Amino acid sequence: MADVTVIGTGYMGTALAKAMITYGLKVNVWNRTRSKIAEFVDSGHAVDSLDEAVRSAPVLILGLPDYPTTQQVLSTVTDSLDATVLVQTAAGTPDEARGLQQWIAEKNPDARYLECGILCYPRHIGTEMSAAMWSGAPQDRAAVEEIAKAWGNNHDYLGPDIAAANAYEASLLALYYGTVRGAIEAVCMARAESLPMAAFSQAAIRSIPTLADTLERALTSAATGNYSTNDSTLGTHLAAIEGVTRSAQAAGLSDPVTTPLAEYLQRRIAKGHTDDDMMSVVEEL
């Protein structure tokens, strides 16, 4: 018997398994394509069959790519999931989490289920940058405490609502990818003006503390509903955004990220909120 079995060994599943092995847990690994777990075969952590993988540990980490694949893989072994804690790590929607919870309950009412939204890259697992959100029954979360410790310390338990982890993950990924899109467009604009990329990259990195401060203030405004500011108003931001949009279009970006943002600001300003903080635009969405 092992402490935990990892089902699916892509980049993240492999990182999770290695972190738990390093931590000192007894880990089994199974993957549909055995050639992808050669290193775990060599180290004695691989099991030969899915049924053996399921029966060999009280906790299953599901490192499969999506919810349909999870259901497909588990469908042949649901009778063997009595009292097993299933930890779903695939990114998905709150409704997908609720759907999987219902499916598991119908297939085997004795199975237990946690959601874990991982908010970092595989290289961060087991380091100070590891971060994840967990949701599900508190007794089930308590059962995987040592596993969470093996992955890193920045792990938040969000309560019994199974969909909470996915709701947090999707919202935070929207912030992340919005920032990444801005970075991609920024590089295109810099290249259009033949800016030296090394110097531009350093300038961009130096701007991160200002961005973090902006986000902190904006999110506090959203939490309190107080959009007053003595810093920079919607009117000021709109003038800057329109200038950025013109520069982006001149660089060949037909639909820059600032275009819909300007539209949001214009809508808010038209309702008499010119002097509000930027985050007041959230009331228009």
Side-chain angles (χ1 to χ4, degrees), residues 161-186:
D161 179 3
I162 199 66
N166 276 10
Y168 268 83
E169 182 180 25
S171 300
L172 292 170
L173 285 177
L175 172 62
Y176 173 80
Y177 285 116
T179 303
V180 170
R181 175 180 170 177
I184 292 169
E185 293 190 2

Side-chain angles (χ1 to χ4, degrees), residues 2 5 15 20 55 99-100 118 129 135 145 154 190 197 204 265:
T5 292
M20 291 186 290
R55 293 178 182 275
L100 183 58
I118 299 176
M129 292 184 68
S135 57
E145 180 61 25
N154 299 316
M197 289 310 302
L265 266 69

